[in-house]
Amino acid sequence: MTGHDVRARLLEGLVIPAHPLALTAARTLDERRQRALTRYYVAAGAGGIAVGVHTTQFGIHDPTVGLLEPVLALAAETVADAAGPADATVVRVAGVVGGTAQAVREAEVARRLGYDVALVSLAAVPDEEPEALVAHMAAVGSVLPVMGFYLQPAVGGRELPYRFWRLLLELESLAAIKVAPFDRGRTREVARAVADAGRRDVALYTGNDDHIVGDLLAAFPGGPGRPALRMAGGLLGQWAMWTREAVHLHGRCRRVVRGEDGPDPELTELGAHLTETNAAIFDAARGFRGCLPGIHEVLRRQGLLEGRWCLDPAEDLSPGQLEDIDRVLDAYPHLADDEFVREHRDAWLR
């Protein structure tokens, strides 16, 4: 996919699940279930996948673990096989981490494997000034179009001031920004930087799993004489599960903001249900310690994963989290796509 095509697809507005890591009980890669997850996302109608991101577990970037390239390759190959003629429209996002040398190497691997965009984590450069951070992004952008990433501090991110975003928006290779600080003020600050830069070719994507519907419906000031800015879509760990329903929800939100449908009061209610459900699955009350096992637990119940194992043996659900998950699944079954998964799961697991 050319850089122009990538931008066009991202601006259309996509559901992009953050791809989990399927492991066996021995904590080795479960290739069969890893492929099944990718097939599920494509079949559910996702417009992209993001691999090597927080939901995939940042531990795969450790060279001693040796999983980054195999996991990236599996997803890219499976998308090509599962999507068929639609393969060229599925945007492949590769998470890259580390200092500049490592991030550039990872972007080069991703490009070789057919990825379209690099989502750049700045967690490994916590003390650099905005100019140095933008130079880091530019180095990665010389390999692949880049997606800026405001990751919440609770899971390894850092505070990124307005000045950083305003400087970043001068970078030609910037194609999108994933806004995931889990903070309304910081989210609006990124939107303000985009408006001030006048960059209507940079797509805004919500990563705020705690405010998905609100972000998709929000109108951010676009600047004097310019229309409001909107979040085009989402790149979300929450969308790693119940993806079919996520596609339907995103479509409803997009039709409302485009004026194709009138106001939909039910969306506000669904947004509240989704936020409460996300809080339980992501373990928000306990500092997100059980976030990844929570996602795995839902996928395990659907039969897509065998267990909720993570690379770190100590990473599991927090005390009381399982009861929280039980409660929200019972309360909000309409958020799930269990029937869709049951119908196709065996084919995805072939």
Side-chain angles (χ1 to χ4, degrees):
M1 196 179 299
T2 68
H4 175 76
D5 292 339
V6 169
R7 286 184 187 275
R9 284 289 288 147
L10 290 169
L11 288 167
E12 285 175 22
L14 306 175
V15 168
I16 305 180
H19 204 307
L21 181 67
L23 296 176
T24 68
R27 291 185 166 79
T28 59
L29 179 62
D30 187 335
E31 291 193 13
R32 174 169 164 258
R33 292 184 182 273
Q34 191 73 15
R35 287 188 185 274
L37 285 174
T38 308
R39 291 180 182 125
Y40 162 49
Y41 300 136
V42 173
I49 56 166
V51 188
V53 295
H54 172 248
T55 304
T56 325
Q57 301 181 49
F58 284 137
I60 71 169
H61 293 267
D62 183 341
T64 63
V65 174
L67 283 179
L68 179 62
E69 185 164 347
V71 169
L72 287 174
L74 268 178
E77 292 165 6
T78 307
V79 166
D81 175 60
D87 168 38
T89 69
V90 177
V91 175
R92 299 160 178 81
V93 181
V96 303
V97 308
T100 302
Q102 178 182 346
V104 168
R105 283 196 305 272
E106 292 187 355
E108 289 171 343
V109 170
R111 182 180 63 183
R112 172 166 52 81
L113 294 172
Y115 282 76
D116 304 300
V117 184
L119 177 68
V120 185
S121 169
L122 298 173
V125 281
D127 301 319
E128 299 287 358
E129 291 298 313
E131 291 81 1
L133 296 176
V134 173
H136 173 86
M137 295 282 292
V140 179
S142 69
V143 180
L144 277 175
V146 291
M147 181 180 286
F149 188 12
Y150 204 155
L151 176 65
Q152 63 156 321
V155 293
R158 54 165 291 176
E159 186 173 354
L160 295 166
Y162 168 87
R163 182 159 155 261
F164 163 74
W165 296 108
R166 188 62 185 82
L167 289 171
L168 182 65
L169 282 150
E170 300 299 320
L171 192 64
E172 186 177 349
S173 59
L174 182 69
I177 300 172
K178 171 179 172 171
V179 191
F182 280 48
D183 181 286
R184 304 279 68 76
R186 289 171 175 167
T187 296
R188 296 190 72 85
E189 194 167 63
V190 176
R192 179 166 67 91
V194 176
D196 291 348
R199 287 288 300 271
R200 290 309 176 112
D201 62 331
V202 173
L204 281 173
Y205 272 67
T206 182
N208 291 318
D209 302 81
D210 65 337
H211 200 67
I212 297 171
V213 174
D215 275 355
L216 292 175
L217 294 177
F220 300 97
R226 293 193 294 266
L229 286 171
R230 301 281 190 173
M231 296 279 188
L235 195 168
L236 296 153
Q238 178 64 41
W239 284 355
M241 54 202 164
W242 307 338
T243 312
R244 184 69 168 174
E245 289 305 311
V247 170
H248 293 159
L249 179 65
H250 174 256
R252 289 175 66 177
C253 291
R254 293 294 283 171
R255 287 191 294 274
V256 169
V257 301
R258 288 195 298 250
E260 296 168 9
D261 290 348
D264 188 345
E266 188 183 54
L267 285 174
T268 302
E269 185 177 1
L270 284 173
H273 298 171
L274 192 55
T275 293
E276 184 180 350
T277 302
N278 174 260
I281 294 169
F282 275 38
D283 199 25
R286 305 168 191 88
F288 301 93
R289 286 191 296 273
C291 173
L292 300 184
I295 295 170
H296 296 175
E297 174 63 17
V298 175
L299 293 170
R300 183 196 68 78
R301 294 185 188 202
Q302 290 188 302
L304 289 165
L305 291 182
E306 187 178 1
R308 56 176 185 258
W309 306 293
C310 294
L311 289 170
D312 180 356
E315 191 168 4
D316 202 350
L317 298 178
S318 295
Q321 187 183 357
L322 191 61
E323 290 77 12
D324 287 344
I325 292 173
D326 288 339
R327 174 179 55 80
V328 296
L329 295 189
D330 287 342
Y332 307 120
H334 51 281
L335 299 177
D337 60 359
D338 294 349
E339 184 176 345
F340 172 71
V341 172
R342 276 194 299 270
E343 183 180 351
H344 300 284
R345 183 180 56 220
D346 289 348
W348 299 332
L349 285 165
R350 66 183 185 274

